[in-house]
Amino acid sequence: MSELTTDQIADEMFNLVKEYAGKKRFKASDLTKEIIAKHGDSVNKKDCKAALRVLMDSGRCVYGYAGGSFISLPGEEGAAKQ
Amino acid sequence: MAEPAAPRKTDIGPPHYEQFLHPVIKKNYGKWKYHEYMKPGVMVHVSETGDKIYSIRVGSPRLISVDVIRMFADLADKYCDGYLRFTSRNNVEFLTDKEANIDPLIQDVQAGGYPVGGTDNSISNIIHTQGWVHCHSAATDVSGLVKATMDELYEYFVEMKLPHKVKIAAACCLNMCGAVHCSDIAILGIHRRPPQINDDSVSNVCEIPTTVSSCPTAAIRPTTVEGKQTVKVDGDRCMFCANCYTVCPAMPIADPLNDGVSIWVGGKVSNARSEPKFTKLAIPFLPNNPPRWPEVTDAIKKIVDVYAAGANRYERVGEWIERIGWPKFFDLTGFEFTKYHIDDFRHAGETFKRSAQIKFQ
Amino acid sequence: MADHKLRETPLLDELKKGPWPSFVSDMKKMAERKPMVNDLLGQLELSYKEKKGHWKHGGLVGVMGYGGGIIGRYSDAAKEFPACAHFHTVRVNQPSGWFYTSAALRELCDIWDRHGSGMTNMHGSTGDCVFLGTTTDELEPIFAELTEKDWDLGGSGSDVRTPSCCNGMARCEYACYDTMDACYNITMEYQDELHRPAFPYKWKFKFSGCPNDCVASIARSDLSVIGTWRDEIRIDQAAVKEYADSGMEIRANVIRKCPTSCMSYDGKEITIDNKNCNRCMHCINVMPKALRPGTDTGATILIGGKAPIIEGALLATVLVPFIKMNKDDDYQEFKDLMERIWDFWDEHGVNRERIGECIERVGLGNFLEAIEVDPLPEHVHHPRTNPYIFYEEYFEEVDDAEAQKA
């Protein structure tokens, strides 16, 4: 398999968060583990760290607060509406 | 969140501390030889070079407005060439190399309504948390508790007349965003009733497996109520830590009828003489009685009074109690010893007395 | 004067009385020009009346790209107190040792006055300069103005929380390493870990210059760095005499208080059996003019301190009895150790479990082995007292035993 670019890893992470939204929550390390499990030795933790930064800087995901810093889709200001 | 127009500066960290150091401090960095307490709240540090820096310590409520900070800044300009710092116990320290500035500064500080003290064998400022002013999990209001307590203990802040220093902390819940678990005396907000469960919203706002696993005593189980997925709590196993509420907002635990304050004693973080130690329970429950919590301030005053009367020089509260024994502590304070004082959580057995070495009154 | 109606707060007004400075008096003044503080006082009065808080959990607020530094806060009584319906916290990373100039403080005050309630905590429990109360719309402008003036946000959530330190060598003769430099260096090294939560739970660093531990690192940090020394306490016998002449009871207050009985005083001079000294600091605290820490200085590293939630409070436990906190190599030994610990935590930690709890769960011995630290008698109060040992190897055959002998 060819080497993944940082953007490609970020995209895969985003797809995971989107796919499992409402079903499973991921922390940064969970996403890293998923990516490494899928791609084996062709990616490492450093690549994933860089990809996470790209993902968060792009605004496609935000850090959640309740019960841990889970990577979430941006949405309502949760508690404001309860 | 809109993208800002200018190129974004991130991860720059705090400004480098060196630009905030008084020239005498910069020059004598790492060269300090000794210090002395000139009077309550005033220290002089003397360098190997012979240079001196004077520190004037001022009590603050910690919760302060920008106007108060600006007043401190003005005083720093007037007397300290603009240099000041804050301490780990939220006091302000004015720093000057001019001995002649000390007394005029103190006069101005006191005229502004702020006390000078908190050094050496005193009661320094109370480390505390947010309380009802700003926290979602607070069982009490610590800003008010601290104000009422420091009013009561004021003489011990402005004088240095105790056997040793007494460090007090206050926290509004068991998260203890303050060193409550290792202070000479500690005030802790507590809940006493299991969380109420809002079955309609649990599945919307909480992740059920996370909520179940958040409970340290495994008191929470998943369940279904009227077709809705939710959780239930075994009240007998709940010890009111509120960890479930932290991960699941649909399980509020605050309850005006039952929330209150517990009092703890005998902890320390310093390694001096004896090893650092945890605080131990003195009073399991006192009512939340705002605005001035008289039951709490009376109890703390009582502890300080018996400590001041009975401790030897250089004995912290915990060291004093270990010398005289816990039975004597309860005897002297008049606090009731109850079943709640006996631990029944993890490693509880380590706190049981396992010898026949008993003092009789 | 205010163009809004000031809230009546009869209960809180009781806290304007007494000698200790009153946060209520301060807030009442702010309420005249800040409707947000006026409503905050109104809501707090309601809490005092009902004996109940009125804040809800945080929500998804932050500045773009960061997961730390902002705590979302919303009122559950917003109808009654609309001006503080949104009341978020901004944590600003404080300078090492909490040293400021008046100009720097005014800079922070001006930014906060323009964009928030004007109320602060100087400082928060972890160490940050805390701005209390603003709305989501103000967050990006605040961040832009802070960074423009070279300030940055601190930590929150499952990240490196803002490290803090005592004033160390800047104004203390006890400092055994440069706490302010170490704190700054480590804070800068881990900016990404500080702003982008990637851990199972929070991670606190605290740096104390000596075993007096003025920032309570042993109780309040996951990684506690406490200054110490390996050689002999420096004694100035002339100063000992001065203390004696000034009336100090050296035998009662110093010699007999020594926990290891390693000191003696013959009425003229103090002698110390340094091999027996456990660096408790008592004698040095009492006689700072006469006694000083040695010159072969460094630090003891302890791990896993925390407050009760979830499995009970822990004091940090010894990890490295002595380490040189070496500025010249950029604290490389320390940072290498950190990488190994975080790799382990990544692998074995679970959500909302602090490292101290994680270590208790997997066993300190296993943890040490994983991070390549040799087990030492300094790691324990005493060896285990139970025989339930998880032996990891045994011989299957006589030949195996013979082979190992050979």
Side-chain angles (χ1 to χ4, degrees):
Chain A
M1 186 193 294
S2 63
E3 295 269 321
L4 285 157
T5 67
T6 305
D7 284 340
Q8 283 170 326
I9 301 174
D11 289 346
E12 288 203 14
M13 287 175 165
F14 175 67
N15 289 335
L16 273 169
V17 174
K18 208 166 87 175
E19 189 185 333
Y20 285 94
K23 285 171 246 163
K24 187 179 174 193
R25 299 195 295 171
F26 297 97
K27 294 188 100 164
S29 56
D30 300 327
L31 288 176
T32 300
K33 280 177 193 164
E34 293 281 344
I35 296 292
I36 291 175
K38 187 173 165 199
H39 296 284
D41 288 341
S42 64
V43 287
N44 61 33
K45 278 187 183 178
K46 263 197 180 137
D47 301 330
C48 292
K49 191 172 164 179
L52 277 161
R53 186 153 178 179
V54 167
L55 175 65
M56 303 318 286
D57 282 347
S58 74
R60 281 179 290 171
C61 287
V62 294
Y63 290 97
Y65 179 77
S69 301
F70 292 95
I71 292 182
S72 322
L73 298 173
E76 289 291 317
E77 279 184 35
K81 303 286 178 200
Q82 270 168 41
Chain B
M1 279 175 282
E3 191 87 42
R8 198 171 175 79
K9 248 169 124 176
T10 68
D11 301 282
I12 57 174
H16 196 275
Y17 54 87
E18 206 176 87
Q19 61 195 289
F20 303 133
L21 300 181
H22 191 289
V24 170
I25 286 181
K26 214 187 280 185
K27 182 181 156 203
N28 295 284
Y29 198 94
K31 296 182 193 154
W32 297 106
K33 193 157 178 248
Y34 67 91
H35 71 278
E36 286 178 314
Y37 300 104
M38 300 169 70
K39 55 184 167 186
V42 182
M43 290 183 287
V44 58
H45 283 77
V46 181
S47 163
E48 282 163 357
T49 65
D51 287 350
K52 291 179 180 177
I53 189 88
Y54 301 96
S55 306
I56 296 90
R57 187 175 291 175
V58 175
S60 145
R62 182 180 92 125
L63 171 58
I64 52 178
S65 70
V66 288
D67 289 353
V68 169
I69 300 173
R70 286 176 179 133
M71 180 197 78
F72 292 143
D74 291 344
L75 288 169
D77 279 345
K78 190 167 170 190
Y79 296 108
C80 304
D81 302 306
Y83 294 97
L84 73 170
R85 70 178 288 265
F86 292 80
T87 72
S88 58
R89 304 194 76 79
N90 308 314
N91 297 301
V92 184
E93 272 178 358
F94 292 95
L95 303 161
T96 178
D97 57 338
K98 299 176 189 71
E99 191 173 356
N101 284 359
I102 297 172
D103 287 335
L105 168 61
I106 290 175
Q107 274 172 20
D108 275 10
V109 164
Q110 288 171 340
Y114 287 79
V116 174
T119 48
D120 202 21
N121 301 326
S122 68
I123 294 180
S124 187
N125 209 344
I126 299 180
I127 289 284
H128 67 278
T129 60
Q130 300 289 13
W132 290 332
V133 172
H134 199 243
C135 187
H136 65 288
S137 65
T140 187
D141 184 53
V142 277
S143 297
L145 266 169
V146 164
K147 160 69 177 152
T149 306
M150 285 311 286
D151 279 342
E152 193 68 40
L153 300 175
Y154 187 79
E155 62 180 302
Y156 294 109
F157 183 86
V158 297
E159 294 176 60
M160 304 189 292
K161 59 181 182 182
L162 287 166
H164 203 1
K165 58 189 71 186
V166 174
K167 297 189 176 184
I168 307 182
C172 48
C173 79
L174 273 60
N175 277 306
M176 290 189 189
C177 310
V180 155
H181 58 308
C182 294
S183 294
D184 291 284
I185 303 174
I187 306 165
L188 176 64
I190 45 156
H191 305 290
R192 294 190 302 164
R193 187 181 186 182
Q196 306 292 302
I197 298 162
N198 186 346
D199 293 319
D200 287 335
S201 62
V202 166
S203 63
N204 288 332
V205 296
C206 313
E207 198 185 46
I208 289 172
T210 314
T211 309
V212 168
S213 68
S214 73
C215 181
T217 62
I220 303 177
R221 294 267 182 268
T223 189
T224 309
V225 174
E226 291 171 9
K228 289 193 174 107
Q229 286 194 311
T230 180
V231 292
K232 61 179 173 185
V233 176
D234 175 355
D236 290 344
R237 300 181 80 156
C238 178
M239 37 63 158
F240 320 104
C241 72
N243 195 46
C244 55
Y245 173 62
T246 302
V247 303
C248 177
M251 300 177 71
I253 191 170
D255 174 32
L257 263 184
N258 291 288
D259 291 349
V261 175
S262 55
I263 306 291
W264 302 72
V265 291
K268 72 197 262 284
V269 292
S270 150
N271 285 271
R273 300 166 306 284
S274 56
E275 291 189 337
K277 46 184 122 241
F278 285 132
T279 44
K280 286 95 182 169
L281 182 64
I283 303 176
F285 176 79
L286 291 171
N288 248 341
N289 201 355
R292 296 198 67 98
W293 285 269
E295 295 85 353
V296 174
T297 56
D298 284 354
I300 290 169
K301 187 74 174 17
K302 182 84 202 175
I303 296 167
V304 173
D305 285 345
V306 292
Y307 163 76
N312 293 332
R313 183 93 174 91
Y314 297 113
E315 236 173 16
R316 293 281 291 266
V317 170
E319 294 168 317
W320 160 67
I321 297 173
E322 280 173 13
R323 178 171 58 79
I324 63 170
W326 285 96
K328 190 77 185 167
F329 170 79
F330 284 95
D331 181 46
L332 287 171
T333 54
F335 300 157
E336 188 190 1
F337 187 85
T338 69
K339 157 179 137 168
Y340 294 138
H341 288 87
I342 301 173
D343 195 356
D344 50 10
F345 193 57
R346 311 246 194 283
H347 317 301
E350 290 173 10
T351 67
F352 302 165
K353 185 158 177 89
R354 296 174 195 275
S355 81
Q357 298 181 348
I358 293 174
K359 290 180 185 173
F360 296 97
Q361 311 293 326
Chain C
M1 266 320 273
D3 51 9
H4 48 272
K5 190 169 179 296
L6 293 177
R7 299 274 178 185
E8 289 194 6
T9 58
L11 289 171
L12 288 171
D13 289 348
E14 290 297 311
L15 290 170
K16 287 156 82 175
K17 301 170 184 167
W20 190 254
S22 168
F23 69 98
V24 174
S25 305
D26 185 16
M27 285 168 72
K28 290 223 127 177
K29 261 183 252 161
M30 285 303 283
E32 292 175 13
R33 65 186 171 92
K34 295 273 187 186
M36 196 179 236
V37 177
N38 190 36
D39 275 7
L40 175 65
L41 277 168
Q43 182 177 314
L44 189 59
E45 177 74 11
L46 181 65
S47 286
Y48 272 51
K49 206 166 128 198
E50 296 179 342
K51 304 181 185 183
K52 186 173 186 293
H54 283 284
W55 298 107
K56 298 196 287 190
H57 274 69
L60 293 175
V61 289
V63 299
M64 179 77 86
Y66 278 19
I70 308 286
I71 314 293
R73 189 67 76 219
Y74 305 92
S75 169
D76 74 3
K79 278 209 181 85
E80 214 176 326
F81 307 105
C84 66
H86 293 215
F87 200 76
H88 310 322
T89 301
V90 181
R91 292 183 180 161
V92 181
N93 196 145
Q94 82 287 1
S96 276
W98 299 287
F99 283 90
Y100 293 90
T101 55
S102 52
L105 284 178
R106 285 196 193 95
E107 203 169 270
L108 290 170
C109 288
D110 291 349
I111 293 171
W112 187 229
D113 215 344
R114 280 197 291 278
H115 296 290
S117 76
M119 294 308 301
T120 75
N121 284 150
M122 297 297 277
H123 291 80
S125 286
T126 300
D128 302 274
C129 163
V130 177
F131 293 167
L132 291 174
T134 192
T135 58
T136 306
D137 292 344
E138 298 288 355
L139 296 175
E140 284 296 337
I142 289 170
F143 183 64
E145 289 189 32
L146 283 171
T147 50
E148 171 63 30
K149 298 280 186 186
D150 293 327
W151 298 92
D152 200 346
L153 299 186
S156 64
S158 303
D159 62 8
V160 167
R161 296 299 182 88
T162 311
S164 75
C165 64
C166 68
N167 66 182
M169 291 181 168
R171 203 210 47 195
C172 185
E173 64 273 22
Y174 302 155
C176 292
Y177 70 96
D178 191 344
T179 55
M180 303 223 305
D181 183 76
C183 184
Y184 180 76
N185 184 302
I186 301 303
T187 305
M188 297 309 282
E189 176 79 20
Y190 299 121
Q191 283 291 297
D192 193 63
E193 285 76 6
L194 202 156
H195 292 130
R196 294 173 192 81
F199 292 144
Y201 203 15
K202 63 183 86 169
W203 181 279
K204 297 187 178 184
F205 283 113
K206 289 193 190 297
F207 300 87
S208 275
C210 82
N212 285 324
D213 198 4
C214 287
V215 289
S217 70
I218 199 166
R220 302 173 71 185
S221 62
D222 299 276
L223 205 289
S224 154
V225 186
I226 299 180
T228 191
W229 67 96
R230 284 188 295 198
D231 55 345
E232 306 194 333
I233 291 178
R234 287 175 283 170
I235 309 178
D236 178 347
Q237 300 289 4
V240 172
K241 187 169 182 308
E242 270 177 51
Y243 276 115
D245 291 346
S246 72
M248 178 181 282
E249 293 177 50
I250 293 176
R251 279 199 189 85
N253 289 332
V254 183
I255 309 298
R256 283 207 290 273
K257 295 275 181 196
C258 173
T260 64
S261 305
C262 73
M263 308 180 75
S264 58
Y265 177 60
D266 63 4
K268 287 183 194 137
E269 296 199 338
I270 284 177
T271 316
I272 301 174
D273 171 13
N274 281 281
K275 294 255 180 305
N276 248 317
C277 167
N278 66 3
R279 280 69 182 162
C280 90
M281 288 299 291
H282 173 76
C283 61
I284 298 175
N285 289 339
V286 178
M287 312 177 78
K289 268 175 141 166
L291 304 174
R292 303 171 75 186
T295 53
D296 180 14
T297 55
T300 300
I301 295 182
L302 302 97
I303 191 165
K306 60 180 283 293
I309 303 296
I310 305 171
E311 296 289 334
L314 294 171
L315 285 159
T317 62
V318 171
L319 181 63
V320 181
F322 188 88
I323 186 172
K324 279 277 178 192
M325 288 298 284
N326 199 345
K327 267 196 227 190
D328 300 331
D329 76 351
D330 205 28
Y331 306 98
Q332 206 50 54
E333 193 182 348
F334 180 88
K335 289 173 188 173
D336 289 346
L337 181 67
M338 239 15 70
E339 296 299 321
R340 299 202 298 277
I341 294 171
W342 286 344
D343 271 347
F344 171 86
W345 201 28
D346 236 12
E347 200 62 39
H348 300 280
V350 301
N351 185 39
R352 284 180 61 74
E353 180 188 57
R354 297 281 284 271
I355 189 70
E357 291 163 329
C358 181
I359 292 171
E360 292 224 324
R361 181 167 55 79
V362 303
L364 178 60
N366 292 331
F367 169 73
L368 293 173
E369 190 173 67
I371 63 162
E372 299 160 41
V373 171
D374 290 335
L376 298 168
E378 284 84 353
H379 286 131
V380 293
H381 268 301
H382 54 73
R384 73 161 70 219
T385 56
N386 66 66
Y388 306 137
I389 305 172
F390 292 96
Y391 291 106
E392 286 171 354
E393 65 279 316
Y394 51 85
F395 303 123
E396 306 262 355
E397 306 279 349
V398 174
D399 287 352
D400 295 345
E402 292 300 320
Q404 195 179 63
K405 265 191 224 162

